[in-house]
Amino acid sequence: MNRQTRNTVIAGNWKMNLTPSKAKAVIEELKPLVAGKDNCTTILCVPFVDIATAVEAAKGSNIKIGAQNVHFEEKGAFTGEIAADMLLEIGAEYVIIGHSERRQYFGETDKTVNQRVLAALKAGLKVILCVGEVLEEREQDITAEIVSMQTKIALLNVDEEMMKNIIIAYEPVWAIGTGKVATAEQADEVCGIIRNVLSAKYGNTVAEATTIQYGGSMNAANSAELLSKVNVDGGLIGGASLKAADFAVIVGNAQ
């Protein structure tokens, strides 16, 4: 982490877990555990049906609430989709875009990820943009090429001012939900590759100001080592974010 130029961010991705009542209970348990830990931004990205409840439960705390996806059109005949202004009106501040599970299971492409990023930023949401390689791509030694390409396409028509509202999460797809974790050195290396892409596109000032998280099975046990690396500015946390005590340990390690 480098707090001199950028924010540290720990964000939980609850995926398709927890009903509104259970969401409220977890947030109520978490609030005192992270109270006063303001050296990093703490975010919970929850299922759509939980957002309003989560926003209400998090009032008066340092916990921010986000969504897990957003559609790229403002309105229309898109059954089951959610527009950016809908998220804003119920209190969401952040949104995850381009998560590997959205790409793998729901057909999202680099192009539609870019469209979603632009729609979210236009509406006033802050974006957590996910990029990362699958196991086959890592084994073929093309991680740098894949992650660089995903980053460049996702940020098409995103200018320097808009970058102030973007967090990038490097999520090696082979380490999500598998229990496998990139070494701290691997995580730092790829986050550094992403930062170099930003430097080439926007200049060093923007690159050094952009928060880049690690998002592959970070947990209470391994977070301190991962967060010690200069290019790892936080974590996008999956399973560990469902347990208040575990998530609080990660936030504490980010302090």
Side-chain angles (χ1 to χ4, degrees):
M1 295 180 290
N2 181 358
R3 287 205 179 93
Q4 292 182 334
T5 60
R6 52 189 178 263
N7 295 327
T8 304
V9 180
I10 301 296
N13 176 15
W14 282 4
K15 307 189 180 183
M16 195 178 71
N17 292 289
L18 303 184
T19 62
S21 61
K22 292 179 180 177
K24 180 180 179 180
V26 170
I27 292 171
E28 293 294 351
E29 183 182 355
L30 179 64
K31 284 195 293 187
L33 299 179
V34 298
K37 295 180 178 179
D38 297 326
N39 284 337
C40 74
T41 301
T42 301
I43 307 166
L44 292 175
C45 294
V46 305
F48 291 130
V49 296
D50 291 351
I51 293 174
T53 298
V55 168
E56 185 63 29
K59 279 184 178 178
S61 75
N62 55 350
I63 300 170
K64 311 291 186 182
I65 302 300
Q68 298 172 11
N69 192 31
V70 65
H71 195 60
F72 45 79
E73 295 290 354
E74 294 181 4
K75 60 183 178 180
F78 303 102
T79 302
E81 291 293 330
I82 307 293
D85 63 348
M86 297 175 182
L87 296 176
L88 282 166
E89 189 162 320
I90 59 172
E93 186 175 347
Y94 293 82
V95 61
I96 297 171
I97 295 178
H99 192 279
S100 62
E101 290 159 0
R102 297 297 312 175
R103 297 175 190 255
Q104 178 180 356
Y105 299 128
F106 302 104
E108 290 192 16
T109 65
D110 292 333
K111 180 180 178 180
T112 62
V113 166
N114 172 244
Q115 291 173 320
R116 293 172 200 275
V117 167
L118 294 173
L121 292 173
K122 180 182 177 182
L125 289 166
K126 298 182 177 78
V127 170
I128 300 174
L129 168 65
C130 299
V131 297
E133 83 282 18
V134 299
L135 181 60
E136 182 180 14
E137 291 163 342
R138 172 159 285 273
E139 290 176 340
Q140 292 173 345
D141 196 27
I142 56 173
T143 293
E145 291 89 336
I146 294 297
V147 171
S148 296
M149 180 184 69
Q150 289 178 342
T151 303
K152 290 175 183 178
I153 296 174
L155 296 178
L156 184 66
N157 296 319
V158 174
D159 62 28
E160 292 183 23
E161 186 66 23
M162 296 159 78
M163 282 300 298
K164 293 177 181 178
N165 290 315
I166 289 185
I167 297 163
I168 298 178
Y170 165 54
E171 44 158 22
V173 182
W174 48 272
I176 298 172
T178 63
K180 296 180 179 179
V181 185
T183 66
E185 289 72 25
Q186 288 172 323
D188 188 55
E189 177 187 16
V190 182
C191 289
I193 289 168
I194 295 168
R195 203 173 304 283
N196 288 338
V197 170
L198 299 180
S199 182
K201 183 175 175 65
Y202 300 107
N204 193 56
T205 300
V206 171
E208 286 300 316
T210 301
T211 296
I212 303 177
Q213 302 172 306
Y214 173 72
S217 296
M218 182 185 286
N219 55 45
N222 61 33
S223 56
E225 182 182 10
L226 287 162
L227 292 166
S228 72
K229 297 302 179 180
V230 67
N231 283 304
V232 180
D233 305 315
L236 181 59
I237 316 300
S241 68
L242 298 170
K243 299 177 181 177
D246 289 354
F247 192 61
V249 169
I250 300 171
V251 172
N253 286 337
Q255 290 293 97

